[in-house]
């Protein structure tokens, strides 16, 4: 006769049901503890007695030392508790800072003193802002100085809408004093009329070599096109890039540089 193999029922259950049971057990245990505390039947954590074997020759001395050590630990715990209480009370006093005999006038005077000490005046705020501004200006100046010192040729980018406003005379002087080549790059020529661009180029070329420039507005990330030197701003290609590359090539040939040059952009 074939034996019947009956599968035992699985003890697995849904997580929702298991968490529900665990929660009920925790609540039940908490309830029992509360009732035990009320009735006085709650068993507190009792200290374990010090056990020393009878065969030990110095049993009594060891027990005495252990008792002393335990007492010291208890005293240290009490001291720590007292210190924490004192700190808490001190903090509360600092926060309130009001004695039982203080009046409203005395409290108002104390509040005014605190505001004088902690709230900065408008003059202090302005001074702090000026200090931060000066620090940031110094940092930028040092970066520009480093760029000029390390570069072989420096391009100063000007905005075609306001070329004189975007020029910096101190930068130009430092470039010339350092014996470096300075080139002006008149950028954003597509945002102003063509006649204005031609006039500005004629004006700026009296002092330094100037190139009209327009960045590429093509959507693709690679194979960006370059337009010629004509000022046809209708195309989305970059204008002025060919002139920049030619100028750099001429500079390399004049200085007999065959490896590479450093270009600084301000």
């Amino acid at each position: 006769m074939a034996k019947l193999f009956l599968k035992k029922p699985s003890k697995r259950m849904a997580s929702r049901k298991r968490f529900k049971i665990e929660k009920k057990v925790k609540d039940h245990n908490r309830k029992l503890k509360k009732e035990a505390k009320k009735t006085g039947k709650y068993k507190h954590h009792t200290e374990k007695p010090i056990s020393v074997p009878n065969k030990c020759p110095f049993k009594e001395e060891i027990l005495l030392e252990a008792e002393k050590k335990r007492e010291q630990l208890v005293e240290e715990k009490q001291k720590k508790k007292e210190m924490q209480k004192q700190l808490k009370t001190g903090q509360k006093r600092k926060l309130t800072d009001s004695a039982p005999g203080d009046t409203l006038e005395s409290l108002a005077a104390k509040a005014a003193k605190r505001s004088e000490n902690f709230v900065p005046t408008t003059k202090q705020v302005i001074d702090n802002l000026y200090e931060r501004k000066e620090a940031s200006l110094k940092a930028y100046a040092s970066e520009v100085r480093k760029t000029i010192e390390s570069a072989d040729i420096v391009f100063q980018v000007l905005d075609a809408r306001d070329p004189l406003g975007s020029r910096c005379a101190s930068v130009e002087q430092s470039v010339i004093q350092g014996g470096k080549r300075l080139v002006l790059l008149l950028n954003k020529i597509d945002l102003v009329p063509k006649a204005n661009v031609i006039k500005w180029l004629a004006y700026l070329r009296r002092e330094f070599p100037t190139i009209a420039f327009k960045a590429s507005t093509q959507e693709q990330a690679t194979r960006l096109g370059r337009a010629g030197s004509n000022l046809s701003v209708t195309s989305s290609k970059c204008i002025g890039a060919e002139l920049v590359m030619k100028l750099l090539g001429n500079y390399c040939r004049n200085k007999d540089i065959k490896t590479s040059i450093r270009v600084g952009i301000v």
Side-chain angles (χ1 to χ4, degrees):
M1 240 180 114
K3 289 183 180 179
L4 292 170
F5 292 98
L6 297 172
K7 285 186 179 180
K8 291 182 180 179
S10 176
K11 291 182 180 180
R12 292 174 71 184
M13 60 176 73
S15 297
R16 180 168 54 82
K17 196 176 180 181
R18 189 172 72 253
F19 293 144
K20 202 174 182 181
I21 292 161
E22 285 175 4
K23 194 181 177 186
K24 279 185 179 179
V25 169
K26 281 179 183 177
D27 291 338
H28 178 69
N29 290 334
R30 201 180 292 118
K31 199 174 181 182
L32 288 174
K33 278 182 184 178
K34 277 185 181 179
E35 286 174 2
K37 279 181 182 178
K38 283 178 184 177
T39 53
K41 292 178 182 179
Y42 183 70
K43 290 181 181 179
H44 292 281
H45 179 68
T46 54
E47 290 181 354
K48 290 181 180 179
I50 301 160
S51 59
V52 181
N54 291 324
K55 289 179 181 180
C56 189
F58 306 105
K59 184 180 176 180
E60 292 178 1
E61 290 174 7
I62 291 163
L63 286 168
L64 285 168
E65 282 179 9
E67 282 294 329
K68 282 179 184 178
K69 191 74 178 175
R70 186 178 277 177
E71 286 172 7
Q72 283 177 3
L73 289 168
V74 171
E75 284 176 6
E76 283 175 5
K77 277 184 183 179
Q78 285 178 353
K79 282 179 183 178
K80 280 181 182 177
K81 282 181 182 178
E82 286 172 5
M83 286 287 285
Q84 284 174 355
K85 281 181 183 178
Q86 285 175 5
L87 284 168
K88 282 180 182 177
T89 51
Q91 283 172 358
K92 283 179 183 177
R93 280 175 188 171
K94 280 180 183 177
L95 288 167
T96 54
D97 200 20
S98 59
D102 282 346
T103 58
L104 285 168
E105 292 175 359
S106 63
L107 288 168
K110 283 177 183 177
K113 279 182 182 178
R114 280 180 192 165
S115 63
E116 284 175 7
N117 291 332
F118 291 104
V119 178
T121 58
T122 50
K123 192 180 178 183
Q124 286 174 347
V125 172
I126 290 161
D127 290 340
N128 288 334
L129 285 169
Y130 275 123
E131 283 174 6
R132 286 178 187 174
K133 217 171 188 180
E134 283 176 7
S136 63
L137 284 168
K138 282 177 183 175
Y140 281 124
S142 67
E143 286 296 321
V144 171
R145 204 179 299 113
K146 284 176 189 174
T147 304
I148 292 164
E149 284 172 4
S150 60
D152 298 311
I153 185 166
V154 179
F155 283 94
Q156 188 180 14
V157 182
L158 308 179
D159 197 327
R161 294 169 292 183
D162 185 16
L164 294 178
S166 53
R167 274 184 82 174
C168 186
S170 59
V171 170
E172 290 172 9
Q173 284 175 6
S174 58
V175 171
I176 292 159
Q177 285 171 4
K180 306 295 172 74
R181 185 79 180 272
L182 180 68
V183 180
L184 301 178
L185 204 73
L186 193 66
N187 193 25
K188 298 184 181 180
I189 58 168
D190 54 327
L191 301 179
V192 291
K194 190 177 177 179
N196 289 17
V197 174
I198 293 163
K199 285 178 182 178
W200 275 118
L201 286 170
Y203 174 79
L204 294 168
R205 278 172 181 166
R206 293 174 192 170
E207 298 177 54
F208 300 104
T210 310
I211 297 169
F213 197 85
K214 181 187 85 73
S216 175
T217 54
Q218 291 170 307
E219 291 181 2
Q220 68 265 27
T222 57
R223 294 183 182 179
L224 298 172
R226 291 179 184 175
S229 58
N230 59 338
L231 303 175
S232 58
V233 294
T234 51
S235 67
S236 61
K237 293 179 180 180
C238 177
I239 297 168
E242 292 292 338
L243 278 171
V244 170
M245 296 308 293
K246 280 179 185 177
L247 191 140
L248 293 172
N250 290 335
Y251 180 80
C252 290
R253 279 191 291 275
N254 291 336
K255 296 284 181 180
D256 198 18
I257 299 166
K258 292 180 181 179
T259 53
S260 62
I261 59 166
R262 289 183 180 180
V263 180
I265 298 169
V266 180

